Amino acid sequence: MVLLGLAVLVGPWTLGTANRLDRLHVRTDAAWAALDAALARRAVVTR
């Protein structure tokens, strides 16, 4: 019974943390892609 109660309390926190980490991963990938695109544009301009 105690384990079930603990799972009910910890479960939503774990899911929330996983969702936040996933969003952070997506944002990081988008930032790297934007940086790569900006550097590629700058490289084309300097040629």
Side-chain angles (χ1 to χ4, degrees):
M1 206 58 163
V2 173
L3 290 177
L4 181 62
L6 185 62
V8 167
L9 292 175
V10 174
W13 175 80
T14 304
L15 288 174
T17 300
N19 285 333
R20 283 193 304 271
L21 286 174
D22 186 48
R23 283 194 311 263
L24 179 61
H25 177 73
V26 169
R27 287 176 53 193
T28 303
D29 283 348
W32 277 112
L35 178 61
D36 189 40
L39 290 174
R41 284 192 306 270
R42 186 175 287 188
V44 168
V45 168
T46 58
R47 286 185 195 158

